[in-house]
Amino acid sequence: MKLPSHITSTARRRAESASDRTPIYAMVGNPNSGKTTLFNALTGLRQKVGNYPGVTVEKKIGTTWSQHGKPIQVIDLPGAYSLAARSPDEAVLRDVLFGRREDTPQPDRIICVVDAANLERNLYLVHQILDLGRPVIVALNMMDMAAAAGLKVDAAALERALGVPVIPCEAVHGKGLVGLRLAMSRVELPLARHRWDVPAAVAPAVAELQASLTDNEGRAPLVARAEALLLLTDFDTVRVAGSRPLSARTHEILGNWRQRWESAGTDWAATLIRSRYDSIGGLCQDVVVRTREQGPSRSDRIDAVLCHSFWGWVVFGAIMTALLFSIFSLAEGPMDWIESQTTALKGLVNGAMAAGDLRALLTEGIIGGVGPIIKFLPQILILFFFVGLLENTGYMARAAFIMDRPMSKVGLNGRSFIPLLGSYACAIPGIMATRTIENAKDRLVTILVAPLMSCSARLPVYLLMIATLLPGDAVSAGKKAGLMLLMYALGTFGAFGFAWLFKRTLFKSAPPHMIMELPPYQPPRLREILRQMLGRAWLFLKNAGTIILAISIVLWALTTYPKHPDPAATPTEQIAHSFAGQAGHLLEPVIKPLGFDWRIGIGLITSFAAREVFVSSMGVIFGVAGADENPTPLRDALRAARWPDGAPLFTPLVCLVLMIYYVFAMQCMSTVAVVKRETNSWRWPLFQIFYMTGTAWLFCFVVYQMGRSLGY
Amino acid sequence: MSARTQTIVALAIVAVTVALLVRIYVQKCRKPGCGGDCGALSPEVKKLQARLKK
């Protein structure tokens, strides 16, 4: 049965064209089709970013200009492979297009961004959107990639077949934007004339649902038909807040047809999907020409090794080891230089000023607090250079693919690995990236374990402890890298272990399957990597120059006041008498079984603001305790620190236990706030603080006591 | 600079810093999240946020 899809009232079209209101465009497309790049290229910085009310799905609205200088609004909708929603992002896309959301107007026109190199798969969503009977422009993106893959896509033939403007473009290089803007500026756009055969047995169901959607939900006839076709294949499984629910009558009709099909034993939903693909397949045969025989691409050949069940792991391990090794071996020189400059600066201030509180604030509070943090800048730069390199070349997606198998052992899949991978940089974007996980239980488990991955804020703590534990000259970079790798592995295995536990106790559900698109390998774009790396370095310095500086100043005051009544008191006696010393002493009974004294306790309290504050706290506390006239590097000051009985405080065992504490403990105020926002409850962040810090304490207790009994 | 003057100036710096920290805390409470401090935001979005602030 042929169903017309291009009928629209001429009067309505005239009314629309006569209207002064500029049309609202929605930009839709598959993930990795270059949709956001195109959106950014069109709108530049004229964007408003927010959330759809009630759901944590980003809403981006931008403004571009028509050829006549009129502003055109563009909504960047979440990427999806079809209108059948499987996650909140995809549900928002579906609801906006069908006009189900109160907070977002139904777009007047739609730009479908299509990856020319994967035309058949991308056209499925386009095909569903053309059913809506709205004016559509197809942006045929990544034409260069298609040509490189030996595909010649005939844009004119596709335009003739679909009946809508098809604009070839390359968003990354800014090509085709003028053509797209010209198409968007047209007062009237032709409507689609594509047709496809809906199986005759399904047609009565489509007609009945269409009538109900028109009568009860107030949909336009073509939108109602498109929605009916979707409901019959998807059964409206994913709903999100802010979406208008379907009427009881529509639900009843849908339920009846579903029951009837189930009892008949015919999968009409699959038949509908297949018939759509048949139509798309025929279309692709007409418009895509292979210019050369298709063999395995360069990416396929590389993937044969990098995604291999054995060699993939070997390469993955080698890359991670090389990354950590280079952090230590390459950064040593610049780090020593920064340290010597910090020490020289302290000496300069001490020489230029008379003794007093202001001098102490400058040398011990400011230079002593911020200096030890800045020292780690070279290592942070190297880490982010390599991370940028791996992301830029397309290897990160392969890492997710490799990790899918171990993830499935703990009840999660590779989709959860991407947020976990992001958490190596910072848990906050990692937790926010869980929004794409469709299963609510899997999402919550991923949120709960994401902060266990060793984020970059832990790096200064690990580096300081490793420097104290294994002094630079005597120990090879390999040993240091090995210890660092151990900490990263501990966090990763901890996250997997807890995910396994949670999936078997609190959040029982079957592990989901993962389908993931591997982007083609690309040569690294050094400029982009350097830009990202310098951006991170700037943020690190900004953080050191604001929050860490402020906390160092306050901490200095807390370690200096109230003054000891005896002016001849030693620096250690002074800190013990101070506010910070009193707080540390209160905490000491709890942390003493882990080998920590009250001074480390002060560091644990202050580093709840951010983990790296621990390093500056140690700088302030042990700088205050050290000799003013002869400043020493922090690691030496830590190595010289003693218990009241004269025993060394930072023994190798205590350094190891401290690192383990920071692997597991929930020491980040910002992460707590984000978990609260994402779960919409205080229950889960509080649970997270309890289980993570509890595990940290227990693990450290066992390691320290065992180490002590073994004579360490 | 005398020891007494040094103490007064140091305490004034500490007071200003505490006020700054309270301000940052209040801002965080109003708008939880890293505020871009984690480096996960792209330079484009950061420029955009700066423009929107203006």
Side-chain angles (χ1 to χ4, degrees), chain A residues 212-213 215-217 244-253:
Chain A
S212 175
L213 286 163
D215 296 343
N216 300 310
E217 272 82 11
R244 281 193 210 107
L246 293 174
S247 67
R249 176 69 191 134
T250 306
H251 262 300
E252 190 189 329
I253 296 169

Side-chain angles (χ1 to χ4, degrees), chain A residues 40 45-49 60 353-361 366 425-426 428-429 456 531 535-536 539-540 542-543 546-547 549-551 553-554 556-557 561 563 669-670 673-674 677, chain B residues 1-15 17-21 24-25 28-29 31-49 51-52:
Chain A
N40 288 340
L45 294 172
R46 295 174 295 276
Q47 301 175 2
K48 278 184 190 168
V49 186
K60 271 165 78 177
M353 286 180 77
D357 282 356
L358 185 60
R359 189 180 83 171
L361 170 64
I366 296 175
C426 175
I428 291 164
S456 55
R531 201 182 63 184
R536 298 264 186 174
L539 284 169
F540 177 77
K542 200 178 98 179
N543 204 20
T546 52
I547 303 276
L549 173 66
I551 291 175
I553 291 172
V554 173
W556 171 84
Y561 304 105
K563 295 263 185 180
M669 204 163 60
S670 301
V674 167
R677 191 182 65 186
Chain B
M1 201 184 280
S2 71
R4 190 177 158 73
T5 318
Q6 282 207 27
T7 304
I8 292 168
V9 175
L11 284 173
I13 293 172
V14 172
T17 309
V18 170
L20 184 80
L21 274 175
I24 292 170
Y25 176 75
K28 285 253 179 204
C29 286
K31 200 180 170 189
C34 63
D37 291 349
C38 64
L41 291 180
S42 69
E44 281 171 338
V45 174
K46 271 181 273 167
K47 275 185 206 162
L48 166 70
Q49 285 178 337
R51 275 178 71 115
L52 290 175

Side-chain angles (χ1 to χ4, degrees), chain A residues 503-632:
Chain A
K503 283 288 284 185
R504 268 153 194 79
T505 52
L506 294 172
F507 309 101
K508 280 184 188 171
S509 69
H513 300 289
M514 184 182 79
I515 300 171
M516 192 180 151
E517 191 179 348
L518 295 177
Y521 287 102
Q522 287 186 344
R525 295 178 293 277
L526 272 181
R527 190 185 290 178
E528 209 171 289
I529 296 169
L530 287 174
R531 201 182 63 184
Q532 270 181 13
M533 186 182 82
L534 292 175
R536 298 264 186 174
W538 167 242
L539 284 169
F540 177 77
L541 288 176
K542 200 178 98 179
N543 204 20
T546 52
I547 303 276
I548 292 173
L549 173 66
I551 291 175
S552 298
I553 291 172
V554 173
L555 189 62
W556 171 84
L558 293 174
T559 54
T560 307
Y561 304 105
K563 295 263 185 180
H564 199 283
D566 178 9
T570 63
T572 309
E573 283 170 345
Q574 165 54 38
I575 298 180
H577 183 72
S578 68
F579 292 122
Q582 289 167 37
H585 277 107
L586 274 178
L587 190 67
E588 199 179 62
V590 182
I591 56 174
K592 205 170 178 181
L594 315 181
F596 305 162
D597 78 339
W598 57 274
R599 288 170 291 182
I600 298 177
I602 298 172
L604 298 185
I605 296 170
T606 53
S607 63
F608 188 69
R611 289 179 177 95
E612 65 267 42
V613 171
F614 178 79
V615 175
S616 56
S617 300
M618 293 297 103
V620 172
I621 293 164
F622 290 95
V624 169
D628 267 7
E629 305 300 333
N630 183 24
T632 51

Side-chain angles (χ1 to χ4, degrees), chain A residues 11 111 113 137 233 245 249 274 284 286 328 369 414 452 521 645 670:
Chain A
I111 301 170
V113 186
I137 298 171
T233 52
R249 176 69 191 134
R274 210 164 31 243
C284 286
D286 297 338
F328 287 99
L452 286 168
Y521 287 102
D645 63 4
S670 301

Side-chain angles (χ1 to χ4, degrees), chain A residues 61-94:
Chain A
I61 300 179
T63 308
T64 187
W65 304 92
S66 75
Q67 67 178 122
H68 306 295
K70 269 189 159 186
I72 301 173
Q73 275 207 325
V74 188
I75 307 173
D76 183 19
L77 290 174
Y81 293 103
S82 88
L83 291 179
R86 292 283 171 273
S87 67
D89 292 54
E90 292 170 0
V92 164
L93 165 74
R94 175 200 64 196

